[in-house]
Amino acid sequence: TEWQGDWEASARKVADGWIGEARIPFSILRYPEGANTFGVVLARHLVRKSEWYVWPAIGEWDYQKSADWGPLKLPKPRPKIKTMVYASPQWDEGSLQTEIGVDSKCVFPSGMEALVTVNPDFEDVAQQVESIDFSYTERQLSDARPFFVEGRGFYPPTTTFYSRRLEEVDFGAKYFGRADKYRLAFLDAWDFGHEHTTVANWCWDYRPYSSASVLAVLNEKEGQFNAQYGAGISRTDKVGLQGSRSASINGYSTTVPGRSGTRQRWNAG
């Protein structure tokens, strides 16, 4: 997760209004090999009137109605590999200790991403702090650690996989992205000798705004094994410019240690 700021833009007033121009290198964009069309939406916020102007008329941000820019001759996408090594010296109980770790990330031409982290430096990440108000249930807080932030939208929701429970990670690997009508996500995190977590999520966007999915979250901690499996299907239809109607059903099966055994839960809307 990083700011891709290698682009330039400028604007100036002209006789009948104003004109803007932007220069964006293809190297910072993601597109599948063989693509020759980009979808384009132009939006302007007129502050003094608190009004938005959008072209074309996409209603409630229905990007299926975006304008097509093409045909384009795009350069062939190439794998992008980035590696970051860190060393953090610390003075602890009269001796100098050094923490060393590495993060590596690869973006494939297909748009899929792979990340590997070894001994990540989570101590310097500012996290959301839990309040001291009493609560009968566990609070769910945001997770700002880069390894878990990357590709967050491809993984199960926090009601199924809550990454803040994984406090320590010695080694982690993840693979996620979109391939045609499919969204894939896999994560494996180890706290050696204490905990091992595996997460998998697969979604099929069988039509615009509609999908079917299956997921699994497996966790082994201090000799106890917990597993959750789920599947669901949803369908959404746009109505007019800003309306929509949708229906969904999801089922989950959870195996927990101890006397609880296996439990199922369903929800529909």
Side-chain angles (χ1 to χ4, degrees):
T1 299
E2 63 218 302
W3 168 245
Q4 298 276 7
D6 303 328
W7 52 274
E8 298 177 351
S10 62
R12 65 183 176 91
K13 293 180 180 180
V14 294
D16 58 349
W18 59 273
I19 185 171
E21 183 177 333
R23 181 172 63 183
I24 305 172
F26 288 118
S27 60
I28 70 172
L29 301 178
R30 297 184 188 178
Y31 51 88
E33 187 173 355
N36 60 5
T37 304
F38 281 169
V40 176
V41 176
L42 303 179
R44 180 192 179 195
H45 184 205
L46 191 59
V47 178
R48 59 186 173 87
K49 290 187 177 182
S50 297
E51 294 178 349
W52 278 92
Y53 300 93
V54 182
W55 177 89
I58 61 172
E60 195 69 14
W61 299 103
D62 183 358
Y63 291 109
Q64 295 291 325
K65 300 177 181 178
S66 62
D68 287 336
W69 177 29
L72 303 174
K73 293 184 178 180
L74 303 175
K76 185 177 180 179
R78 302 181 181 278
K80 304 173 185 177
I81 301 176
K82 294 184 178 181
T83 301
M84 180 176 65
V85 180
Y86 83 89
S88 176
Q90 299 176 357
W91 185 263
D92 185 20
E93 298 181 354
S95 62
L96 182 64
Q97 300 178 359
T98 303
E99 290 283 339
I100 299 176
V102 60
D103 295 306
S104 186
K105 168 183 174 179
C106 179
V107 180
F108 299 97
S110 63
M112 302 295 292
E113 286 191 40
L115 280 85
V116 174
T117 184
V118 179
N119 194 26
D121 182 16
F122 289 158
E123 292 184 1
D124 296 327
V125 177
Q127 291 276 50
Q128 181 183 358
V129 179
E130 183 177 356
S131 70
I132 61 174
D133 297 334
F134 178 77
S135 172
Y136 283 102
T137 59
E138 178 185 26
R139 291 188 179 88
Q140 292 190 359
L141 309 176
S142 62
D143 195 341
R145 295 174 294 179
F147 177 73
F148 294 106
V149 171
E150 291 274 5
R152 183 180 328 191
F154 291 92
Y155 289 87
T158 56
T159 52
T160 304
F161 171 56
Y162 182 41
S163 59
R164 286 286 293 260
R165 289 179 183 161
L166 306 182
E167 298 179 357
E168 299 291 338
V169 175
D170 295 323
F171 172 82
K174 62 194 307 186
Y175 181 74
F176 61 88
R178 175 185 292 275
D180 194 19
K181 292 185 177 182
Y182 301 98
R183 288 174 285 136
L184 313 172
F186 175 81
L187 179 148
D188 204 46
W190 291 81
D191 179 9
F192 293 125
H194 298 282
E195 187 172 11
H196 176 213
T197 301
T198 301
V199 181
N201 194 32
W202 175 87
C203 296
W204 171 38
D205 297 323
Y206 61 90
R207 65 191 305 274
Y209 310 106
S210 304
S211 64
S213 63
V214 294
L215 62 87
V217 180
L218 313 177
N219 176 266
E220 186 176 6
K221 184 175 183 179
E222 298 176 353
Q224 292 188 329
F225 181 73
N226 177 282
Q228 182 170 197
Y229 307 94
I233 187 169
S234 67
R235 171 164 177 160
T236 299
D237 295 305
K238 294 292 183 178
V239 181
L241 281 179
Q242 297 186 347
S244 64
R245 56 172 174 256
S246 62
S248 65
I249 184 169
N250 298 275
Y252 302 90
S253 176
T254 306
T255 303
V256 295
R259 299 178 181 178
S260 300
T262 301
R263 296 178 294 177
Q264 286 76 34
R265 64 184 174 97
W266 296 84
N267 62 63

